[in-house]
Amino acid sequence: MKRRDPIRHPERHGCEFLREGGNHTIYVNRAKRKVSAVPHHREIIEFTARKICKDLEVSPP
């Protein structure tokens, strides 16, 4: 199963850090007014990466 870096891809597409949560980092796409929680893992599975991109309305990895 492929794994992806959860932070680099959204940041390349204009998303930015909003705040830290207990188990997640919250990212925001201000242009589209979308927010998503990114788990505190160095790498995440492809399904989760696609879900984060869908929530933030950026192209999938």
Side-chain angles (χ1 to χ4, degrees), residues 24-38:
H24 293 80
T25 301
I26 310 302
Y27 272 80
V28 62
N29 183 342
R30 294 189 192 278
K32 297 187 178 181
R33 296 182 170 202
K34 299 294 179 179
V35 177
S36 185
V38 178

Side-chain angles (χ1 to χ4, degrees), residues 10-52:
E11 285 181 343
R12 286 186 204 134
H13 288 85
C15 299
E16 44 188 65
F17 170 83
L18 181 63
R19 65 182 171 86
E20 287 288 330
N23 294 319
H24 293 80
T25 301
I26 310 302
Y27 272 80
V28 62
N29 183 342
R30 294 189 192 278
K32 297 187 178 181
R33 296 182 170 202
K34 299 294 179 179
V35 177
S36 185
V38 178
H40 286 185
H41 299 289
R42 180 160 174 80
E43 294 182 343
I44 57 173
I45 61 173
E46 179 119 9
F47 175 81
T48 306
R50 288 185 180 277
K51 173 72 168 97
I52 292 165

